[in-house]
Amino acid sequence: MLTDYIEKDIMRRVKITEYFYELTTIKIKDIANRLRVSLNTIRRDINLLIDELKNYISNYENVGNEVTIIFMNNISKYDLVREIYSESKFLRICSRVIVEGFDYLEIADEEFLSVSKVFQMKNKIFSFFESIGVIEGYENISFNDDELTMRNLILALWIRCDYLEKYVDNRKWIESEKFVKELLKYQIKNINIKKREYQTLTLGCYLMISRSKDYELVFPEEERQRIIEDLYVYTIIKKLSKDFFSQYKLSDDEIVYFSFIYYLLVNETKNYSVILYNYYLTRKRWLLSSNIFIELLLEFENEFNISLINNIMFEKPLIDFLGTSWKAMQYFLLENYYYLSEEQILLSKKIRKIMTKVLKKDKNYYFTDDSIEKLAYQVSSILEKKIDKTIICIVTDNDNNHILYRSTLKRWLGNIEECIFDENVYYSLEELENSSRYFKRIIVCEKNLARLESSSQEIFLISRNSIKEDISLILDKLYNNCY
């Protein structure tokens, strides 16, 4: 994984920046505990960060053990982290080796490093290249023909570091920007595109048209076919590429790869119906094409003793996780970092154990610790909270009223699984008091049947004349129980 090789102090400052971007005020000792370093190390990191990002900070306070950093409104998170990544010697030298090869003296001179330090850096870089499979052995400086991995590598370096920009063909870069802008016009009413995603798409497009002539990109056939059949954006991209890039004679594999990048990056829509449509479509694809999705759902249900199948709050983050796990895409993407609570950290360990158990069966899937933490952050509200089932018992003086109250409550509650309606129809509180009690109960009782002074149970009164106000009180109680 790329971030495992980048200088540790650089990665700490990237994470600290993202923490403050989200929270603005954090205790130093909490950051130190989270990153497993000393208080003095975090203080040095914050001082460096303040100096590096001083032009982007609107307010900075350091009072006792608590630090506040507020960034300017017009600055994106991507701008901030890229500023820090630009200090990485590892990223710069990786980038130049891809284009220029490895020249000890030239690197030592231009990067202000000793020859011995450059030698150490070479071992580190070649170890990274070998780990992702673009070279075979430390002595083999030439790259192999795995263009899919090489494309991901260049994209990962370029999105973090500007070294490769001096090799850009300006005409092709302008063509790439125009193409991406035109592509986004098709979706502009429905998507929320951020600078990080826009830049990555533009880079991906540039690599597509600049490398396709000399390097053959081969996309795995099974996944290639899925994308062609399932991703509507593939059709749009293929049509646009014919209009914009007919001179490059792009292969279907190139179009598929760019469509896959788009699918991974552009998923924040402005229309909830589109979110649901994409979720159901992608869910169907996973159910039909792989056992991994359902295996993971069952493993999580067993581990946390909670129903998760058809739960969009859990399944959508899981689907996103699996999408970026394919072919180790997580190794290269520029992901956000999240400030996890102690409970979320413990949860991430359980999630990692489940993922390791299931995904080790398929060599096409790889995941990172950062992606596990992201998933833990997204699903913690579902998996962490142990919620007792609540039985809703309805007491009325006739069956028509029972139907009215039950139907109205069901309509407002939707699909909250923690609420279960008692299938029995009660016509008096005495009948209810004689029934068994296995779950926590809420009693909804017709006003003219209630005897509040004689009951120790929680009773909510209801009648046809005040049903709106009565239902509102009941819903408040049920939502508090569940959330």
Side-chain angles (χ1 to χ4, degrees), residues 35-51:
L35 298 180
R36 297 183 180 87
V37 292
S38 69
L39 292 173
N40 287 337
T41 298
I42 292 299
R43 288 192 181 98
R44 284 196 299 271
D45 287 339
I46 291 176
N47 288 336
L48 274 172
L49 185 152
I50 295 298
D51 185 59

Side-chain angles (χ1 to χ4, degrees), residues 243-305:
D243 297 337
F244 276 76
F245 302 137
S246 58
Q247 70 273 30
Y248 297 114
K249 297 181 174 57
L250 298 172
S251 68
D252 278 346
D253 285 64
E254 289 284 359
I255 306 300
V256 166
Y257 175 71
F258 186 76
S259 301
F260 186 61
I261 294 294
Y262 183 96
Y263 159 72
L264 293 179
L265 293 173
V266 185
N267 54 20
E268 294 188 9
T269 71
K270 297 178 181 178
N271 187 302
Y272 188 68
S273 296
V274 176
I275 294 175
L276 288 179
Y277 174 79
N278 289 338
Y279 158 65
Y280 289 124
L281 185 69
T282 313
R283 184 181 192 274
K284 179 181 177 182
R285 178 167 71 86
W286 278 104
L287 288 172
L288 292 175
S289 62
S290 173
N291 293 326
I292 285 177
F293 180 59
I294 198 68
E295 277 189 61
L296 284 170
L297 284 174
L298 294 174
E299 286 289 339
F300 276 98
E301 286 191 338
N302 290 333
E303 175 67 28
F304 295 97
N305 193 27

Side-chain angles (χ1 to χ4, degrees), residues 1-6 11-12 14-15 18-19 34-36 85 160 321 324-325 330-340 348 351-352 366-378:
M1 175 184 181
L2 176 59
T3 53
D4 290 337
Y5 289 85
I6 298 172
M11 288 310 306
R12 284 199 307 271
V14 166
K15 292 177 181 179
E18 298 215 22
Y19 295 163
R34 178 68 187 84
L35 298 180
R36 297 183 180 87
Y85 276 127
R160 292 171 172 85
F321 174 91
T324 59
S325 299
Q330 292 175 4
Y331 284 28
F332 306 103
L333 292 175
L334 183 55
E335 291 277 21
N336 292 318
Y337 292 100
Y338 299 90
Y339 190 83
L340 271 58
S348 68
I351 292 175
R352 186 182 294 106
Y366 304 85
F367 60 85
T368 66
D369 288 344
D370 295 334
S371 63
I372 291 289
E373 291 187 357
K374 177 182 178 180
L375 183 60
Y377 180 85
Q378 292 173 326

